[in-house]
Amino acid sequence: MARIVKIQFQTAGRLYDFRTGNLDITIEERVIVETERGKSIGLVVKGPFEIDDRDVPEGLKTVLRKAVPEDLESAARHRAKEKDAFDLCLRRIRERGMEMKLVKVEYLFDGSKAIFYFTADGRIDFRELVKDLAHAFHTRIEMRQIGVRDEAGMVGGLGICGRELCCSSFLREFEPVSVKMAKEQNLALNPTKISGQCGRLLCCLAYEFDTYCTLRKCLPKCGKRVSCGSVEGEVVKLNILDGTVTVKTDDNHEVIVRGDEVKVENTPERPKKPAKDFEETKPKKPQRGQQRTHPTRPVKERDENRDNAARTKEKP
């Protein structure tokens, strides 16, 4: 059996699995691990738990050691250097007039590399900028372009609900969000109301989507003819959370009834216009021997033009 822990390297970041080895590790401990970028310090958020050796992914690395006070002090020094690097890089971007937005600077645990995260509409030629930064900080420089959702997660802030952004507090993976989710919840399709700080659709639209779909199945659709006791009419409004529907009767009165008490009639919602026959709408081809007529020019005018052309050709 292998003992595994899940580690995150930033708040609300992705979780990565590591072997514990012979170390006695608990939750909320800082540990030093080897990653593709080099040594990093991470926080244990889950585990340890045991899994069968056959289920362990190939190439899974082991935690090197627990973090000591010297490691935490070194990480704090790098956090201070990140602010200076951010200010210098921002000045260089403005001096060169580069169309890019600097988001964050991150130093690796051992200080061997500084990663500059930025957003831009297209490709950016930052070769001269990298030379300036490498000359100033004497370390390897990496420029990494990110999307607007990742930017919101790094910067953080408050949403329209008044709480901290989901992507910067607990949401580790971005899930697809569509306008259909807003329609299913009867929300106004106002971009300012259903968009987050990143300018994309709110991630929270997906939280209750399945619940709304389940509750809606128990209610008739708008436009259906229903009856409930002595009330008969057409459904004009749904209240999914309350489980009620608003019925407009034949005398133009609106009555609210419970959705589980209504009986749907078999009549269609609204009378549909009869569809035209395809053969009637399709333009008819002229039969063999029938003269073709131009849609705009009369036949007589075309005949006269043809005769004039023939006389012109007969002249010597």
Side-chain angles (χ1 to χ4, degrees), residues 157-169:
L158 298 179
I160 58 176
C161 59
R163 302 187 61 178
E164 187 178 359
L165 297 180
C166 301
C167 55
S168 62
S169 57

Side-chain angles (χ1 to χ4, degrees), residues 5 36 62 82 91 94 204 213 230 240 264 274 281 292 295:
V5 291
E36 296 178 353
T62 305
E82 289 173 357
R91 289 199 302 268
R94 292 173 178 173
C204 56
C213 291
S230 60
I240 300 177
V264 180
T281 58
R292 295 175 178 267

Side-chain angles (χ1 to χ4, degrees), residues 299-311:
V299 178
K300 182 178 180 181
E301 180 182 348
R302 295 203 315 274
D303 293 341
E304 292 177 355
N305 294 339
R306 185 170 60 251
D307 295 340
N308 294 335
R311 296 193 192 97

Side-chain angles (χ1 to χ4, degrees), residues 7-16 167 170-173:
I7 297 175
Q8 72 175 12
F9 298 99
Q10 59 183 5
T11 304
R14 291 183 58 185
L15 298 180
Y16 297 89
C167 55
F170 67 88
L171 191 62
R172 302 186 185 277
E173 298 287 345

Side-chain angles (χ1 to χ4, degrees), residues 67-270:
V68 295
E70 289 77 7
D71 297 328
L72 302 180
E73 293 176 1
S74 176
R77 289 194 300 269
H78 290 322
R79 299 292 86 79
K81 293 172 61 176
E82 289 173 357
K83 185 179 184 306
D84 297 335
F86 185 93
D87 295 338
L88 177 61
C89 183
L90 191 59
R91 289 199 302 268
R92 293 291 186 268
I93 290 174
R94 292 173 178 173
E95 292 172 359
R96 297 183 179 277
M98 304 176 68
E99 296 182 356
M100 56 185 292
K101 179 183 178 182
L102 186 63
V103 177
K104 181 182 177 181
V105 181
E106 179 185 2
Y107 266 88
L108 297 187
F109 170 71
D110 54 2
S112 60
K113 182 192 291 187
I115 304 175
F116 293 77
Y117 299 93
F118 70 95
T119 59
D121 293 334
R123 297 178 62 88
I124 302 294
D125 185 5
F126 44 73
R127 288 175 293 183
E128 296 299 326
L129 177 63
V130 171
K131 292 180 181 178
D132 294 344
L133 298 175
H135 179 73
F137 301 111
H138 304 286
T139 186
R140 290 186 298 164
I141 303 297
E142 178 182 345
M143 306 295 296
R144 184 173 299 179
Q145 188 172 357
I146 60 175
V148 291
R149 285 186 178 272
D150 296 317
E151 176 190 3
M154 289 183 177
V155 176
L158 298 179
I160 58 176
C161 59
R163 302 187 61 178
E164 187 178 359
L165 297 180
C166 301
C167 55
S168 62
S169 57
F170 67 88
L171 191 62
R172 302 186 185 277
E173 298 287 345
F174 291 113
E175 298 182 0
V177 183
S178 63
V179 180
K180 179 182 177 182
M181 297 180 178
K183 293 181 178 179
E184 195 71 22
Q185 301 174 46
N186 292 331
L187 298 177
L189 301 182
N190 187 345
T192 60
K193 299 294 184 180
I194 61 176
S195 299
Q197 184 172 323
C198 60
R200 302 291 190 266
L201 292 175
L202 290 166
C203 294
C204 56
L205 292 177
Y207 296 165
E208 300 177 355
F209 176 66
D210 294 338
T211 302
Y212 272 86
C213 291
T214 303
L215 296 177
R216 183 182 285 272
K217 292 180 180 179
C218 304
L219 301 177
K221 297 181 180 179
C222 287
K224 282 284 188 180
R225 290 282 302 183
V226 298
S227 61
C228 180
S230 60
V231 178
E232 293 185 3
E234 180 182 348
V235 177
V236 294
K237 186 178 180 181
L238 304 179
N239 192 327
I240 300 177
L241 296 181
D242 287 345
T244 59
V245 297
T246 302
V247 179
K248 185 177 182 180
T249 60
D250 296 335
D251 53 356
N252 291 330
H253 285 81
E254 293 186 355
V255 182
I256 299 177
V257 297
R258 291 192 56 83
D260 54 358
E261 297 178 356
V262 299
K263 181 180 179 181
V264 180
E265 300 180 2
N266 295 326
T267 56
E269 296 89 340
R270 293 183 179 88

